Amino acid sequence: MDDAGYDDDLLAKIYDEDNGDGPDHDYFRSMADDLSASSITDLGCGTGILTVTLAKKGRRIVGIDPAAAMLTHAATRPGGDRVEWRRGTSELIDRDANDLIVMSGNVAMHIIDEAWRATLLDIAQGLKAGGRLVFETRNPRNESWTAWGGPAEVRETSAGTLRESESVSGPDADGTVTMTTSHEFIGAGRTIETTLRLRFRSAETLQRDLHSVGLRIENLWSDWHRSPFTGSAEERLIVVEASKGFD
């Protein structure tokens, strides 16, 4: 994942303020319940805001993220002691062990180039037969990047006054949009620059990529309420449910 800039205590501290609990997390929780999942991995778990809510009696929950600052926050939040936290990426997924693997918060879009296929292979190997992978991505036909960027804005956060500005370029020929953000924590006298590369993939590309590692798309939704995805440019999200076939 191309998120090294988020391995910072200040950004981890305010992450939940910009990425709070909501209908996306309700969807992932209901999926876990519908599957009666007893073993779940949250890949790209961040601060663990969703991960800890998946932990129930009789469930084994693993949260994986490359950013140490995010995991420190995750481990110390209420319920953090009920999750096994691992620093790294998809190579840390246990083999043949998961009823459900989730990637929330557009994590899939942060995984690009060769890392994407490697991640899908690790996920396929980490699922039990019949296990499910669920994640969301942005519909490229919606062109949501056109609304990103703009002049600096100042806001109050739990880490003090923050001035942020954002520039966006792309997409390139592969569908990658690059977003560079300056986070100026005025009280702390610190400015953190983050550069994110986000891959926009069509439904057809997702189908091909998942099939190539032995995963079958079961459902494509256009929102968190399970409205079928039709491919319209009006649909912002593609929510993917894929399964591993039985041997």
Side-chain angles (χ1 to χ4, degrees):
M1 297 176 208
D2 197 14
D3 293 345
Y6 279 90
D7 197 1
D8 185 281
D9 291 341
L10 285 174
L11 292 180
K13 184 175 182 179
I14 67 169
Y15 185 83
D16 291 354
E17 297 174 31
D18 297 327
N19 302 274
D21 196 59
D24 53 340
H25 292 180
D26 291 338
Y27 162 84
F28 290 113
R29 286 188 286 260
S30 68
M31 177 60 63
D33 291 341
D34 292 345
L35 294 173
S36 298
S38 61
S39 181
I40 303 172
T41 292
D42 185 357
L43 182 61
C45 63
T47 61
I49 185 173
L50 167 64
T51 325
V52 297
T53 68
L54 295 171
K56 292 184 176 180
K57 186 176 181 180
R59 275 187 185 165
R60 178 171 180 265
I61 308 296
V62 175
I64 300 174
D65 200 273
M70 291 288 195
L71 291 179
T72 296
H73 189 87
T76 57
R77 70 185 310 132
D81 58 342
R82 297 181 293 172
V83 177
E84 181 181 344
W85 306 103
R86 300 177 183 177
R87 184 184 180 190
T89 54
S90 60
E91 76 279 359
L92 299 181
I93 298 173
D94 292 327
R95 294 285 186 97
D96 301 312
N98 293 275
D99 299 305
L100 175 64
I101 295 176
V102 305
M103 293 189 289
S104 67
N106 295 312
V107 161
M109 298 182 69
H110 295 251
I111 308 171
I112 65 173
D113 301 331
E114 295 83 2
W116 175 238
R117 178 170 172 79
T119 297
L120 293 181
L121 280 169
D122 289 337
I123 288 171
Q125 292 169 353
L127 288 170
K128 299 175 184 177
R132 192 69 61 97
L133 163 67
V134 294
F135 66 94
E136 91 278 13
T137 185
R138 300 292 185 97
N139 176 16
R141 292 197 62 201
N142 184 254
E143 298 185 353
S144 56
W145 61 83
T146 60
W148 299 348
E153 295 185 357
V154 177
R155 60 190 173 108
E156 295 301 320
T157 73
S158 59
T161 304
L162 174 62
R163 179 185 291 115
E164 291 179 303
S165 59
E166 186 176 271
S167 63
V168 178
S169 63
D172 64 14
D174 294 322
T176 302
V177 171
T178 300
M179 180 170 60
T180 300
T181 306
S182 173
H183 314 264
E184 182 185 355
F185 290 89
I186 296 172
R190 288 186 59 204
T191 299
I192 304 164
E193 301 282 346
T194 59
T195 298
L196 304 180
R197 298 172 65 209
L198 304 171
R199 180 67 52 86
F200 284 75
R201 300 178 178 96
S202 67
E204 294 76 18
T205 296
L206 293 167
Q207 170 83 28
R208 182 196 68 214
D209 292 350
L210 290 164
H211 185 266
S212 72
V213 299
L215 297 175
R216 179 180 66 240
I217 290 181
E218 300 290 347
N219 293 297
L220 292 179
W221 310 118
S222 63
D223 57 33
W224 300 115
H225 305 292
R226 294 180 171 86
S227 302
F229 178 76
T230 67
S232 166
E234 300 302 313
E235 296 167 324
R236 183 175 62 90
L237 287 178
I238 308 176
V239 182
V240 180
E241 297 178 7
S243 66
K244 180 178 180 177
F246 290 88
D247 296 331

